[in-house]
Amino acid sequence: MDDTAERSPFAEGVISVLPILLGVVPFGLVFGATALELDFTALETQGSSLFIFAGASQLAAFDLMADDAPLIVTVLTVWVINLRMLMYSASLAPHLGHLPLRQRLGAAYLLTDQAYAVVIGEYQGGRPARDRLPLYLGAALALWVSWQMSTIVGYLAGSALPADVPLDFAVPLVFLALLMPTLRSRPNIVAAVTAAAVTVAVREIGAGEVAILVGALSGIALGTLSAGTPLKSDS
Amino acid sequence: MSDAAVIWATIIISGVGTYAIRVGFLPAAHRFSTVPPRVRAALGLIPSAALAALVAPGLLQPTGSIDLWNERLLAGIVAGAVGWWTKNVVATLVAGFAVLILLQQFF
């Protein structure tokens, strides 16, 4: 631990996120290549990486748009997929509350599973307040740059990407890797199993467009019920 | 395929909403302790539900419909087990890819 004392927290953030980028880069390549294959323009593809900046939801959205899904379905699917960031934001809030609002709003744009995963452990381990934003920015910016670059490269390389290496397997794997640590309690496991089952079932019966939406919401609902928490407020 | 106007409207509306979600509780950081415990409990379930919904089709329906015991599911089970025990993202990725590539080479 002491040999990192010389390193700035920003550099530390970058270094901490590097191993995770191993999963993010193939993901970005797959997204870019998929967008090309589905006949989206380079501008639309990069635009989504800039404006939405959330890989899983971008993939889902592009699949839906290529299928001519109604706009409302696509938008809601993106929001539900990204709803988990609400929890990350709630979890980070006490640690970043000391920052001026403008900095928090800027930091929010960069929030991802990976940046969250890197910093939350450090914050809960007790980093001084002055370290927290640079640590976050190091991880989050490294990720942002990788995502933008792998999107472009994936789009331009397109069909040149090796076909026998199952790069697209990176997508479920990255999320599987992030899912495991969340399964610490029975309600979480109930939520995950329900979401998985419902998503697969909905997709199986041919309503794939709304599968993730319905699956995730079902998972949250059943998980909340199984925690013995009434859905309606008593007061 | 949706037309360009729908695509851009989708990207922008999705993006604005996603940003709002990311901002979430950050402005009210000092008031977070007043969020009711039930809401906090429900919030805590969102990552598990959303991530599971994202993972499941990739492992169980890689070609579109349910294909029990396909290679990706097996690779995913091993990767999941590795992830569970090591709590390490890289180990999970390596395990998953290694198993999948091995299965594809030999079966």
Side-chain angles (χ1 to χ4, degrees), chain A residues 145-156:
Chain A
V145 169
S146 309
W147 184 251
Q148 302 307 325
M149 283 177 33
S150 51
T151 301
I152 304 176
V153 173
Y155 189 90
L156 294 176

Side-chain angles (χ1 to χ4, degrees), chain A:
Chain A
M1 164 138 145
D2 286 305
D3 59 352
T4 62
E6 304 295 346
R7 234 177 240 149
S8 71
F10 182 87
E12 199 187 321
V14 173
I15 290 169
S16 301
V17 86
L18 282 180
I20 303 181
L21 294 184
L22 213 56
V24 172
V25 169
F27 193 166
L29 292 174
V30 166
F31 171 66
T34 304
L36 175 72
E37 204 181 342
L38 294 173
D39 283 327
F40 287 92
T41 68
L43 211 58
E44 287 159 351
T45 308
Q46 204 64 39
S48 71
S49 285
L50 287 165
F51 281 111
I52 302 176
F53 181 46
S57 63
Q58 287 173 250
L59 264 175
F62 273 50
D63 274 332
L64 288 169
M65 289 191 284
D67 261 343
D68 228 331
L71 183 147
I72 187 86
V73 169
T74 312
V75 168
L76 284 178
T77 300
V78 170
W79 288 348
V80 167
I81 292 175
N82 293 335
L83 204 54
R84 66 192 188 281
M85 313 238 197
L86 188 62
M87 204 231 103
Y88 300 157
S89 145
S91 175
L92 290 178
H95 301 285
L96 300 177
H98 63 289
L99 294 170
L101 179 64
R102 211 184 42 220
Q103 287 181 12
R104 280 180 266 156
L105 293 179
Y109 165 69
L110 295 170
L111 186 58
T112 55
D113 306 275
Q114 295 82 2
Y116 174 76
V118 164
V119 299
I120 193 61
E122 290 291 318
Y123 291 175
Q124 288 174 346
R127 293 297 290 251
R130 68 174 178 275
D131 280 1
R132 293 180 209 150
L133 183 63
L135 190 72
Y136 174 85
L137 287 178
L141 282 171
L143 194 107
W144 187 88
V145 169
S146 309
W147 184 251
Q148 302 307 325
M149 283 177 33
S150 51
T151 301
I152 304 176
V153 173
Y155 189 90
L156 294 176
S159 42
L161 290 178
D164 49 348
V165 177
L167 280 179
D168 64 306
F169 195 45
V171 180
L173 274 189
V174 164
F175 290 108
L176 185 63
L178 294 168
L179 170 67
M180 290 294 117
T182 72
L183 302 179
R184 302 159 312 227
S185 74
R186 199 175 54 103
N188 285 94
I189 295 174
V190 168
V193 172
T194 305
V198 173
T199 303
V200 166
V202 172
R203 219 168 158 235
E204 195 67 16
I205 64 174
E209 285 183 356
V210 296
I212 292 174
L213 201 62
V214 172
L217 291 174
S218 306
I220 296 165
L222 250 78
T224 305
L225 280 175
S226 91
T229 308
L231 288 179
K232 274 157 94 165
S233 164
D234 292 332
S235 51

